[in-house]
Amino acid sequence: MNCVPVYGNNPAIVKDFTRCVGCGHCLAVCREEIGVAAKAHLGGAQGFPCVNCGQCAAVCPEHAIYARPDWMQVRDAVRDPEKIVVISTAPSVRVGLGECFGEKEGTFVEGKMVSALKQLGADYVLDVAFAADLTIMEEGTEFLRRLLSGKGTLPQFTSCCPAWVKYIETFHPARIPNLSTAKSPISMQGALVKTYFAQKMGLDPRRIVTVAVAPCTAKKFEITREELCDASAFDGIAGLRDNDYVLTTQELSDWLCAEQIDFAQLTPAAFDSIMGKSSGAGLIFGNTGGVMEAALRMVYASVTGQKPIDLLLDYTPVRGMEQIKEATVSVGGQEVRVAVVYGTKAAEALIESGKIDTYHFVEVMTCPGGCISGAGQPSGAVIPVPNTTRQARIRALYDADKQRSMRTALDNPEITQIYDTFLTHPLSERAEQLLHTAYHSRADASGS
Ligand code: SF4
C-alpha cells in the first residue's frame, strides 16, 4: 500500500479517495516523522493504529485527507437560543488564522480572532492559554513531587499532545507511568467551563456547549476519550462531556467565510473573564519547547520563591527547529536534565536507545515545530507549510510572551483566583478530580 489508510471511523481526519493520486507523501510522513506506519501493519480492515495527528493531511498536495469538519454543528448550536456556547482558543490559532485572510505569516491576530468568534455568536470567548497556565501549575507540581520525593516515575513525559499520549498507549504501554497525569489544556478548560465557570457565572451546565478551537486534529480524538467527562460526575448530571467540539483553525476560517465576515475590518476584542487571562508562559505552549520553558519558569519560581532568572525568560537551549534539544538547569541546587522533541519517530529513537532515561523531564510534541504547525493550521499555497512560516509563527508567540507583564503561571491573577476560590492548591483532591486523568494500554487496539 502506498498511502496511509484512513478509515471511516477516524474521529479526526477523513479521506476523499476520489482526490487521491497515490503519491505516497502521506505514508512517507507517517513512516519517517511520526513513526506509526513504520510500526503498524498497513493492511486489513480497520487495522491501522492512527494517532490522529493529521500530518498525513498536512502533506497531501491534493487535499484528499483533511480534518473531520464539525463547524456546522457549532454554528447550529450558536443559533439555538437554549444553548450557551463557550468557545476557547488555543495559543497557536492566533498566529495562524490571519494567514487565511491575507495577513503576513505569523501575524498575531488575538483581538480580531476574539471579535470574530463574538460575531459568529459565541456567548463567551475564553482562552485555552489560561488552562495552559493551569497545566503548568499541575504538571510542574507533579514533576517536583516526583523529583524531590523520589515517588513516581522519572523522566516525566508531557501529556498535552494527544497524539503522543496515544503513541505511548499503543506502542509503549509500559511507559504510561512516565506520562504526566495532567490533562491537556483544552481538557482542563472544558471540565472547568462546565463546573467552575458555570458556578461563578450562574449558568446551567446542561445548556453549555464547550468548543475548543485548536491547531490540532488529534484533539478531535482526545475529546472522545471515555474518561474525559469529569464535569458530569462533579455536577451530578449524566452524559455531560467535558468538551463537545473541537474546531481547527482552518475550520474557523471556513465558518467565517461562510458567514461572510470581513476579518480585516473587525475591531479587536478582549477575552471574557474569569478564564481569559494568561501569562506569556501559557502562550508559548504552541511552540516546540514552549511547555518545557513554561514549566521550568514555574518550577524555578516555586522552588526558590523568586522570579525566574532572565535566562529562563528567553531559554534558548529549548527553542528552535532542531528536532531534539536538551538542557540542564539548576533549580534550588538540584540539576534538572530536560529534553524537548518533536516528531514521535524522533522520540522513538530516544526510547529505543534508552537515552530517554537520562533525563528528568521530556517534552514531546508530534507536529514539526510544535502545535504552530498542527494539521489544523492553514496550509497556504506551499504544501507542506515551509519552515519559514513555522518560524514566523514561533517568533510571534515568543514576541507576545515578551510583551506580557506576566511571564509565569504564578503571576496570573485568574490562576490565583481559581486556586483561592475553587481548587485550593495544585494536586488537591478537586484538582485531581477535574484536571488529571488516567491512560490505558492500546497495545491490542486496531483503533482509529
Ligand atoms: Fe496536536 Fe500539537 Fe500534538 Fe500536533 S503537536 S498533534 S497540534 S497537540
Side-chain angles (χ1 to χ4, degrees):
M1 188 180 293
N2 200 31
C3 302
V4 163
V6 180
Y7 296 111
N9 61 349
N10 194 313
I13 50 174
V14 285
K15 180 164 183 178
D16 177 349
F17 287 89
T18 65
R19 287 196 206 158
C20 176
V21 295
C23 66
H25 290 180
C26 56
L27 186 57
V29 76
C30 189
R31 184 181 287 136
E32 288 153 30
E33 302 296 331
I34 310 306
V36 169
K39 283 177 161 283
H41 297 293
L42 295 178
Q46 316 288 299
F48 187 70
C50 174
V51 296
N52 313 108
C53 67
Q55 284 302 310
C56 51
V59 299
C60 175
E62 306 297 323
H63 298 290
I65 307 175
Y66 50 91
R68 184 174 285 283
D70 291 306
W71 68 265
M72 283 172 265
Q73 289 94 306
V74 179
R75 181 191 57 190
D76 292 346
V78 300
R79 290 176 177 174
D80 183 342
E82 288 304 307
K83 303 237 160 85
I84 301 162
V85 180
V86 181
I87 304 186
S88 304
T89 60
S92 299
V93 179
R94 68 204 78 187
V95 294
L97 183 63
E99 293 164 27
C100 304
F101 300 98
E103 300 274 8
K104 250 179 57 195
E105 51 200 10
T107 304
F108 191 81
V109 294
E110 180 179 283
K112 282 191 179 180
M113 172 192 72
V114 174
S115 180
L117 288 164
K118 295 268 182 186
Q119 290 252 332
L120 288 170
D123 292 289
Y124 298 93
V125 182
L126 305 177
D127 198 351
V128 175
F130 160 83
D133 277 343
L134 202 54
T135 301
I136 283 307
M137 295 300 295
E138 295 293 325
E139 189 170 0
T141 308
E142 181 188 4
F143 173 65
L144 281 174
R145 188 165 71 179
R146 293 189 193 202
L147 182 74
L148 301 176
S149 76
K151 289 188 197 133
T153 308
L154 288 172
Q156 180 169 299
F157 297 166
T158 54
S159 55
C160 42
C161 173
W164 161 240
V165 168
K166 196 173 179 190
Y167 186 93
I168 288 291
E169 289 179 321
T170 307
F171 300 114
H172 294 284
R175 290 286 188 170
I176 287 174
N178 290 92
L179 286 167
S180 163
T181 61
K183 290 178 181 175
S184 75
I186 73 152
S187 287
M188 289 195 184
Q189 186 87 349
L192 289 171
V193 165
K194 290 190 180 174
T195 55
Y196 169 69
F197 188 77
Q199 272 184 13
K200 299 284 180 203
M201 308 303 279
L203 306 173
D204 179 352
R206 276 170 288 229
R207 294 180 56 208
I208 296 178
V209 177
T210 38
V211 182
V213 186
C216 179
T217 56
K219 299 282 182 198
K220 287 179 183 274
F221 155 74
E222 178 186 340
I223 65 166
T224 68
R225 291 179 69 106
E226 231 171 75
E227 60 276 15
L228 294 180
C229 55
D230 294 312
S232 175
F234 184 90
D235 292 326
I237 301 168
L240 277 190
R241 300 290 311 162
D242 290 347
N243 279 296
D244 296 298
Y245 297 101
V246 165
L247 303 185
T248 64
T249 310
Q250 183 62 53
E251 277 181 273
L252 174 56
S253 161
D254 294 345
W255 186 11
L256 287 165
C257 291
E259 301 290 342
Q260 300 186 325
I261 289 174
D262 187 348
F263 191 81
Q265 296 305 317
L266 291 169
T267 306
F271 287 109
D272 293 304
S273 68
I274 46 175
M275 293 171 57
K277 268 197 175 44
S278 76
S279 72
L283 277 182
I284 61 175
F285 258 57
N287 296 343
T288 172
V291 177
M292 184 59 71
E293 184 168 336
L296 290 174
R297 289 180 195 175
M298 177 272 173
V299 162
Y300 183 90
S302 176
V303 169
T304 64
Q306 296 166 358
K307 293 262 175 214
I309 45 176
D310 285 350
L311 171 77
L312 293 178
L313 299 178
D314 186 8
Y315 196 46
T316 48
V318 297
R319 292 187 175 192
M321 287 299 291
E322 222 178 302
Q323 206 161 8
I324 300 178
K325 302 174 274 285
E326 47 187 18
T328 302
V329 193
S330 176
V331 179
Q334 166 100 32
E335 298 283 288
V336 177
R337 289 188 304 283
V338 304
V340 166
V341 185
Y342 68 80
T344 30
K345 179 81 183 284
E348 178 69 40
L350 286 183
I351 294 173
E352 269 179 4
S353 68
K355 191 168 181 206
I356 203 151
D357 292 312
T358 65
Y359 306 107
H360 295 106
F361 202 174
V362 180
E363 175 201 298
V364 180
M365 294 293 161
T366 301
C367 298
C371 304
I372 48 90
S373 63
Q377 292 285 70
S379 56
V382 182
I383 294 175
V385 163
N387 265 352
T388 48
T389 302
R390 292 177 178 138
Q391 278 156 339
R393 294 173 184 167
I394 286 172
R395 214 167 28 246
L397 287 180
Y398 285 135
D399 286 348
D401 164 37
K402 211 175 256 177
Q403 284 159 21
R404 292 262 152 123
S405 55
M406 303 181 285
R407 303 295 298 279
T408 79
L410 291 158
D411 300 332
N412 185 342
E414 289 190 348
I415 294 293
T416 307
Q417 186 184 2
I418 196 171
Y419 281 114
D420 284 351
T421 66
F422 188 71
L423 294 169
T424 321
H425 57 82
L427 307 184
S428 68
E429 198 179 322
R430 185 172 280 183
E432 291 282 359
Q433 181 189 3
L434 291 172
L435 309 181
H436 291 258
T437 190
Y439 313 103
H440 58 90
S441 170
R442 295 175 191 269
D444 300 331
S446 57
S448 56

